Amino acid sequence: MPAARDSLLDAAYAALEVRPWAGVRMVDVAAAAGVSRQTLYNEFGSKQGLARALVRRETEGYLAGVERILSRPAGGVPAEDGEAAAGAGGPAAVPEEAPARLAAAADWTLRTAKANPLVRAVLTGCWNERLPSPADQSLPPPVPGPRTGFPMAPPPVEAPLPGPSELVGRFSDRAVAALEADWPKEELTELGSACTAAVRLTLSCVVAPADPEEVGRLVRGAFAGLPRHPAGR
């Protein structure tokens, strides 16, 4: 039930905005979404499953925004991303200008982390008392067998949620994929290193917030030693 699932996740996020996760009740989430509590349990299995799905959705939404900005078409960025590009250092740059595109993605990251506590927690690995605890997002333990008492394999579940290190890799991979067409093959290693450095600088500014223009300068600095390569070379 995709529609019910989205409504339940929306309701859970809205509840988290006004009370700590420990105070969020499944019955209230179901009521806010307009479905039965049984539907909620059928969809997520438990409050732990709901927390895991909510964190995953917010994380994937953040990464989709990163990819959208990095892959924007020639001549500018989509309207909803214009603020990010402007905040990262002025008007939108042409797509082949790698530092400007990474700066725009950095600005998106900082703005999203500031507005969304779940994204901030995933990016930094710091979970405060208002949020689901890291244990709420771990995979369920093996279930004791009915006769032998030995652990049985748990039912199939989704992959573990990404942590800060994995997000650095996924962000960097998206950046390289968006930029590599404009770079000679012999310089792709240097491009990858510059993208990783830019991403790590971005995440450090999530932990210790900095002025957007300063963040843009830091990210651009990661590319200072690389030559510029126009599209279609």
Side-chain angles (χ1 to χ4, degrees):
M1 300 177 64
R5 184 179 182 87
D6 288 341
S7 295
L8 286 163
L9 291 172
D10 289 343
Y13 187 86
L16 185 59
E17 290 184 311
V18 297
R19 62 179 63 89
W21 183 251
V24 174
R25 302 194 308 163
M26 296 287 272
V27 64
D28 295 333
V29 171
V35 302
S36 68
R37 185 168 57 171
Q38 186 60 54
T39 297
L40 172 55
Y41 279 99
N42 288 345
E43 193 67 44
F44 300 106
S46 64
K47 190 176 180 182
Q48 177 187 8
L50 176 61
R52 199 163 51 242
L54 181 60
V55 174
R56 185 178 298 281
R57 185 186 74 163
E58 300 307 305
T59 302
E60 293 301 329
Y62 155 69
L63 287 170
V66 166
E67 189 165 8
R68 184 175 65 247
I69 292 170
L70 290 170
S71 303
R72 67 182 186 261
V77 296
E80 65 269 24
D81 296 326
E83 181 184 345
V94 294
E96 61 267 30
E97 293 182 356
R101 294 168 77 179
L102 263 294
D107 186 75
W108 160 260
T109 296
L110 268 62
R111 291 191 298 112
T112 304
K114 182 177 180 180
N116 190 318
L118 292 176
V119 171
R120 179 180 177 83
V122 171
L123 288 172
T124 63
C126 298
W127 298 82
N128 64 42
E129 66 278 1
R130 291 188 57 85
L131 302 178
S133 72
D136 290 332
Q137 302 139 45
S138 62
L139 299 179
V143 180
R147 296 181 181 277
T148 65
F150 290 105
M152 296 175 60
V157 292
E158 70 272 18
L161 292 165
S165 295
E166 183 178 344
L167 286 176
V168 167
R170 292 174 68 175
F171 190 161
S172 299
D173 288 346
R174 282 162 168 75
V176 172
L179 302 170
E180 63 183 353
D182 299 339
W183 242 264
K185 289 185 178 180
E186 63 271 17
E187 294 179 11
L188 288 181
T189 299
E190 289 78 6
L191 174 63
S193 297
C195 288
T196 298
V199 173
R200 289 191 176 278
L201 284 167
T202 299
L203 265 62
S204 73
C205 292
V206 173
V207 176
D211 179 86
E213 291 188 3
E214 176 63 19
V215 175
R217 286 193 293 271
L218 289 170
V219 170
R220 286 179 173 86
F223 292 83
L226 293 180
R228 299 293 183 90
H229 296 287
R233 74 181 297 280

